[in-house]
Amino acid sequence: MKGSSIPFKKNYIMGASIVLAALVLGLMLVCSVRTLKSYDDTVKVRGLCEKEVPADRVVMRINYSDQDNDLVDLRGRMEQSDKIIIDLLKNAGFTDEEIKYTSARFNDRYDSYYTNNIRFRYNANQTINVFTSKMDEAGKIQNKIDAELLKHNIISNTYASYEYHGLNDIKPSMIAESLENARMAADEFAKNSHSKIGKMRTASQGYFEVEDLDENTPQVKKVRVVTTVEYYLK
């Protein structure tokens, strides 16, 4: 009888071990499923950062034209007009390196099929450009150069476009601020959904946009960037 009880005890221990192992394995599977399921819970938010910055470069263009029936006389007047404009620009503080222009463009209207009622045969157009970072000087001369040129019988049209070239200097701080704003939005979502924010899952940075503050103040630029971030929820 004693000999027959030994195999029974062995079988009992082995069976209990199998049941225990199956129980532990089942608990591990349940925990794994819950953990994996928690990874499916995410929130995607966007963080916006905007800054107003002054333009640091201006391109000023001075356009004018003239007409005549004598090409030699017209060329001479155009060269004289160029000299008058350049002298005004230099007196305003601009250098030869900042003033860019080429020879005027001449057009023979008799080359056109429509030659009726043409008073002047030759027409000339010129554009003198100023590329500068002297913002104050550019603003002053832009407001008065057309009137000054009228005194010399030159009818001109002057306009300026303003640019911002300091984007690399403000990129790091703007990206950091957009990420912080995205985190605040995620925290607010988690609070309302009775959960907590976990680790960052993905993040993507939008491109930087630089545009005029409004149509009346092109000298001030608005820089904008949006960062999209996805967080795990727990």
Side-chain angles (χ1 to χ4, degrees):
M1 294 294 294
K2 290 181 180 182
S4 63
S5 65
I6 294 176
F8 175 78
K9 289 181 180 180
K10 288 183 178 180
N11 292 335
Y12 177 80
I13 293 173
M14 184 177 295
S17 299
I18 294 174
V19 172
L20 181 60
L23 180 61
V24 171
L25 181 60
L27 290 174
M28 291 177 63
L29 288 174
V30 171
C31 291
S32 297
V33 170
R34 289 181 178 179
T35 301
L36 290 174
K37 187 178 184 305
S38 67
Y39 288 154
D40 293 335
D41 298 330
T42 61
V43 57
K44 183 178 290 187
V45 292
R46 291 182 178 181
L48 169 67
C49 179
E50 289 183 338
K51 286 186 181 298
E52 294 180 12
V53 295
D56 55 14
R57 185 173 174 83
V58 59
V59 180
M60 184 167 57
R61 294 178 173 87
I62 305 166
N63 299 318
Y64 74 96
S65 61
D66 201 351
Q67 303 84 33
D68 204 308
N69 285 315
D70 189 300
L71 183 58
V72 175
D73 289 346
L74 180 58
R75 289 183 62 181
R77 284 206 311 275
M78 293 297 290
E79 291 174 359
Q80 183 63 26
S81 296
D82 284 351
K83 185 178 184 305
I84 291 172
I85 295 173
I86 292 170
D87 287 344
L88 284 173
L89 292 173
K90 287 185 176 180
N91 290 334
F94 302 106
T95 65
D96 289 329
E97 290 73 21
E98 294 172 311
I99 303 170
K100 308 293 182 183
Y101 71 104
T102 58
S103 299
R105 299 175 299 279
F106 292 87
N107 178 39
D108 186 351
R109 294 181 176 181
Y110 283 7
D111 289 340
S112 171
Y113 291 108
Y114 305 99
T115 59
N116 295 330
N117 300 321
I118 292 179
R119 182 180 178 185
F120 299 107
R121 175 176 179 177
Y122 300 105
N123 181 71
N125 295 280
Q126 175 65 300
T127 300
I128 296 179
N129 300 303
V130 179
F131 300 85
T132 183
S133 57
K134 299 172 182 174
M135 309 304 295
D136 292 338
E137 290 85 343
K140 291 177 182 178
I141 193 67
Q142 181 190 357
N143 293 330
K144 67 179 184 180
I145 192 169
D146 289 339
E148 289 292 327
L149 292 176
L150 276 176
K151 299 176 183 179
H152 300 274
N153 296 320
I154 302 173
I155 300 175
S156 61
N157 177 29
T158 301
Y159 65 96
S161 59
Y162 292 85
E163 303 171 350
Y164 179 66
H165 289 253
L167 186 59
N168 288 335
D169 296 332
I170 63 174
K171 271 185 176 182
S173 62
M174 290 192 66
I175 293 173
E177 184 174 337
S178 65
L179 286 171
E180 179 63 25
N181 291 336
R183 177 73 189 201
M184 291 172 60
D187 286 337
E188 185 65 23
F189 179 90
K191 179 181 177 181
N192 294 332
S193 61
H194 305 291
S195 57
K196 293 182 179 181
I197 295 296
K199 294 182 179 180
M200 184 185 298
R201 184 172 184 265
T202 60
S204 62
Q205 174 197 316
Y207 62 90
F208 280 80
E209 298 177 352
V210 182
E211 56 187 18
D212 296 343
L213 181 62
D214 55 58
E215 61 182 5
N216 297 318
T217 53
Q219 303 90 339
V220 180
K221 300 297 182 181
K222 180 171 66 175
V223 185
R224 182 176 186 269
V225 66
V226 176
T227 300
T228 303
V229 185
E230 186 176 10
Y231 291 97
Y232 288 110
L233 292 176
K234 57 182 180 180

